Amino acid sequence: MNSTPTVVVLKEGTDASQGRGQIISNINACLAIQDTLKPTLGPLGSDILIVNSREEVTITNDGATILKLLDVVHPAAKILVDIARAQDAEVGDGTTTVTLLASELLKESKQFIEENISSHIIVKGYRRAVQLAIEQIKALQYSVPEKKDTHDADFKQLLKQCASTAMSSKIINSNAAFFTDMVVDAVLTLGPHFNPAMVGWKTIPGGGMTETRLVKGVAFKKTFSYAGFEQQPKYFTNPKVVCLNVELELKAEKDNAEIRLEKVSDYQNIVDAEWTLIFQKLEKIVESGAQVVLSQLPIGDLATQYFADRGIFCAGRVPSQDMQRLSTALDVNIHSTVSSVTPEDCGVCGLFQETQIGAERYNLFTDIPDTTTVTFLMRGGAAQQIAELERSLNDALQVVKRTLSNSAVVAGGGAIEMELSKHIRDFAKTIPGKQQLIMIAFARALEVIPRTLADNAGLDSTEILNKLRSHHAKGDKWFGVDLSDDANYDAVSVGDLMEKCVWEPAMSKINSLSGAVEAACLILSVDETVKNQSRDNPNAAMAQQMAGRGRGMPQ
């Protein structure tokens, strides 16, 4: 009798698992992520303190930041990290929401997997349900007229309400009115399609958060300065600015090269040549008419005193990102040589000044015509607080940007999720078979958002959901969990959140649903995992082999 020979395909030490148990294992890993993020959702959500291997402390409730810092290693759970990052890059807000939705969809599908229903049937039902949900959002969304006037008071108020909702769960919620004006002004200055690189973030420890300033232009910390710097003027109106990438100091070539001289006068000629070269550069800059000279490379003491004697301000070692933003705002090039610098190569800003902010001195370039860059000078008592302030402002910026480019909004606070849940349940009643059960499970998963909001506020989530289902059945489509300051927490806190101006960009909800369903379907479609341990640890296979041999040895 011929026996089938054993064929070894995978390297020794490879871990392979498959089947229904593998899908359930992946779902359980994602539910662990959900348990971590749930307490952070909503205005009354809590923050998480994370300490990394270098003992660096981060305090945040931003979903994308938490997932990035948790250093997730499970292959399936990493998909949730990816969708949170994608949501953060695309919309800027809703990273916790998209992760919770994806995890809840997997949780609802777990019962079907255990009942041996094919994951492909579940995926088909989820994809059909999300199409209905997106169509319903587009039908329900509130849009302003196509002709948007950014100076219109009503339109500005709409942007402020969206920014305020984005800030409701952030550290700056208590000063939302102060920061919403700042964020809306920043976005209106930048335009609806601004490049995030055109936003500068400067941290200045000390003071309170309300001492944060928005500079409609470029601001950077005072650079390293040489003797003569204090003699330079620190205030100009309508100055000409030149941006360089040139080193303006004596090179001292005697330290960098070997020179053989026959007489002493030759050495003096070399020294004089070095001085002649740098003076030619400085004279060329002065001839251009520039009053503010900036360079990414050092500007030495000779050049500093030279400019001071002629009433010119200079700064060397300017950070490249700040120099790039300034050159873009002034519409000038960064020159790598001074030989071609002309008066036409200088940009003009309305006001330049060096001012004291906290314990630091900052150079401010403002009143730039048609500027497309802004700088946030952020204040706070602790480094962790300022870092969270930056994340909060960035989220609000992205939300207002999306609202400005696509000014359609829906009510937040779980209102849109409850309305979508009702819509999908009604549709599910019209179809037979397993798809009906799967679509009802999808509708049930959407309720995780209002349920979590209520739980984090210390409310009875069961009673809240019952009330919301009742209101939505009556046609109150914008009823959600009311966590505003005037809400009555002794009673069931539900209300019309569209009237209370708790608004979110419709695009944010559409992206959250699409991303959550795509992630859930991807995880459900994987029923086998192959992990090569030896790739991560070259000694793992050898150690396993030696352990196997050791078990057979006599004691």
Side-chain angles (χ1 to χ4, degrees):
M1 178 182 292
N2 294 328
S3 60
T4 304
T6 302
V7 179
V8 178
V9 177
L10 301 178
K11 189 184 295 185
E12 185 178 359
T14 299
D15 179 24
S17 53
Q18 60 183 343
R20 185 173 60 185
Q22 180 59 39
I23 299 178
I24 294 176
S25 174
N26 291 340
I27 292 174
N28 291 336
C30 295
L31 295 183
I33 297 290
Q34 185 193 48
D35 292 339
T36 302
L37 290 184
K38 261 188 177 182
T40 68
L41 183 70
L44 301 178
S46 56
D47 293 342
I48 292 181
L49 188 148
I50 302 173
V51 184
N52 64 12
S53 57
R54 296 187 298 273
E55 298 298 323
E56 295 173 344
V57 177
T58 302
I59 301 175
T60 183
N61 66 355
D62 181 68
T65 304
I66 292 171
L67 291 178
K68 180 175 69 174
L69 295 176
L70 285 180
D71 196 17
V72 177
V73 296
H74 193 282
K78 280 185 177 181
I79 296 174
L80 298 185
V81 180
D82 293 338
I83 63 167
R85 288 179 178 174
Q87 178 79 7
D88 192 39
E90 184 68 20
V91 181
D93 196 23
T95 53
T96 304
T97 299
V98 69
T99 308
L100 294 185
L101 281 174
S103 301
E104 194 68 15
L105 289 171
L106 292 170
K107 183 179 180 180
E108 292 293 337
S109 64
K110 185 177 178 181
Q111 58 179 328
F112 299 120
I113 298 294
E114 290 173 342
E115 293 171 3
N116 210 23
I117 295 178
S118 172
S119 59
H120 298 293
I121 297 177
I122 302 172
V123 168
K124 182 179 178 181
Y126 280 177
R127 293 192 187 279
R128 190 175 182 184
V130 75
Q131 288 177 356
L132 289 173
I134 292 174
E135 291 171 2
Q136 185 69 357
I137 290 176
K138 293 179 178 179
L140 293 174
Q141 67 188 16
Y142 168 73
S143 303
V144 298
E146 288 295 326
K147 296 261 185 187
K148 300 187 286 289
D149 182 7
T150 55
H151 298 287
D152 181 65
D154 292 337
F155 183 66
K156 276 190 175 182
Q157 188 60 30
L158 181 144
L159 297 178
K160 289 180 182 179
Q161 292 299 340
C162 290
S164 179
T165 303
M167 295 178 186
S168 63
S169 61
K170 306 296 183 182
I171 192 175
I172 56 180
N173 182 36
S174 57
N175 304 109
F178 173 79
F179 286 107
T180 50
D181 291 338
M182 185 181 296
V183 166
V184 171
D185 285 346
V187 176
L188 293 181
T189 300
L190 293 165
H193 305 291
F194 69 85
N195 182 356
M198 290 296 102
V199 182
W201 303 96
K202 306 299 178 183
T203 61
I204 309 173
M209 288 192 299
T210 53
E211 295 180 40
T212 298
R213 291 177 55 182
L214 171 67
V215 176
K216 295 181 181 178
V218 178
F220 54 82
K221 186 179 175 181
K222 173 182 172 294
T223 58
F224 180 83
S225 58
Y226 290 88
F229 177 82
E230 293 302 331
Q231 301 171 29
Q232 295 179 352
K234 307 296 191 300
Y235 186 95
F236 288 101
T237 55
N238 300 314
K240 289 186 175 180
V241 183
V242 64
C243 299
L244 303 174
N245 188 28
V246 179
E247 190 173 11
L248 297 176
E249 65 178 355
L250 290 171
K251 294 293 292 181
E253 293 299 340
K254 62 181 181 296
D255 297 332
N256 302 324
E258 180 181 346
I259 304 175
R260 297 186 179 183
L261 305 174
E262 295 182 356
K263 48 187 176 177
V264 176
S265 59
D266 291 342
Y267 177 77
Q268 186 62 43
N269 291 336
I270 293 173
V271 174
D272 293 341
E274 292 175 355
W275 284 72
T276 301
L277 286 173
I278 190 169
F279 275 122
Q280 287 176 350
K281 292 179 181 180
L282 299 177
E283 288 170 2
K284 192 69 176 176
I285 294 172
V286 173
E287 289 173 2
S288 70
Q291 295 167 284
V292 177
V293 180
L294 304 176
S295 178
Q296 294 179 202
L297 297 177
I299 297 180
D301 51 359
L302 173 65
T304 301
Q305 188 64 55
Y306 186 92
F307 288 134
D309 294 340
R310 289 156 181 77
I312 298 174
F313 175 89
C314 70
R317 295 190 178 97
V318 177
S320 59
Q321 185 178 9
D322 293 323
M323 183 72 85
Q324 189 63 49
R325 290 196 300 122
L326 184 60
S327 67
T328 302
L330 298 177
D331 194 22
V332 296
N333 295 322
I334 300 175
H335 295 271
S336 57
T337 176
V338 298
S339 59
S340 60
V341 175
T342 63
E344 291 74 22
D345 295 319
C346 298
V348 178
C349 73
L351 177 65
F352 164 78
Q353 61 179 324
E354 183 179 298
T355 184
Q356 188 81 21
I357 303 176
E360 306 289 350
R361 294 188 67 80
Y362 269 76
N363 297 324
L364 276 60
F365 297 81
T366 55
D367 296 341
I368 303 173
D370 301 323
T371 183
T372 55
T373 181
V374 297
T375 306
F376 286 92
L377 304 178
M378 299 174 295
R379 306 297 307 278
Q384 294 83 3
Q385 184 184 33
I386 300 177
E388 182 66 3
L389 171 61
E390 179 181 341
R391 287 187 286 267
S392 303
L393 289 175
N394 184 58
D395 285 356
L397 271 179
Q398 297 295 335
V399 167
V400 175
K401 173 186 175 181
R402 286 295 167 192
T403 308
L404 186 60
S405 60
N406 183 15
S407 53
V409 297
V410 294
I416 187 64
E417 284 84 3
M418 290 301 300
E419 183 63 21
L420 295 178
S421 177
K422 169 187 169 293
H423 177 70
I424 294 173
R425 285 178 194 271
D426 292 342
F427 180 83
K429 295 175 183 177
T430 65
I431 59 175
K434 297 176 182 176
Q435 291 295 310
Q436 182 187 78
L437 298 175
I438 294 169
M439 296 190 78
I440 290 175
F442 185 97
R444 197 162 50 241
L446 292 174
E447 294 179 350
V448 69
I449 302 302
R451 185 189 305 115
T452 305
L453 289 173
D455 287 336
N456 290 344
L459 302 174
D460 187 343
S461 58
T462 303
E463 188 177 4
I464 291 282
L465 287 178
N466 287 337
K467 284 286 185 181
L468 288 178
R469 293 191 191 106
S470 174
H471 280 288
H472 283 267
K474 297 175 186 175
D476 298 329
K477 59 184 179 182
W478 296 126
F479 262 64
V481 184
D482 184 7
L483 300 177
S484 57
D485 293 337
D486 58 347
N488 182 9
Y489 288 169
D490 294 331
V492 177
S493 300
V494 298
D496 191 327
L497 299 186
M498 185 62 79
E499 287 185 359
K500 293 210 171 188
C501 300
V502 181
W503 298 342
E504 297 184 54
M507 186 59 64
S508 174
K509 289 301 178 184
I510 291 174
N511 280 344
S512 294
L513 283 171
S514 301
V517 171
E518 287 300 325
C521 292
L522 180 60
I523 292 172
L524 288 173
S525 64
V526 175
D527 71 340
E528 182 173 0
T529 300
V530 178
K531 187 174 182 181
N532 188 354
Q533 298 286 355
S534 60
R535 187 176 299 275
D536 299 327
N537 182 6
N539 297 322
M542 183 179 296
Q544 184 176 357
Q545 185 177 7
M546 293 298 293
R549 291 176 180 174
R551 283 192 295 269
M553 295 176 64
Q555 299 297 323

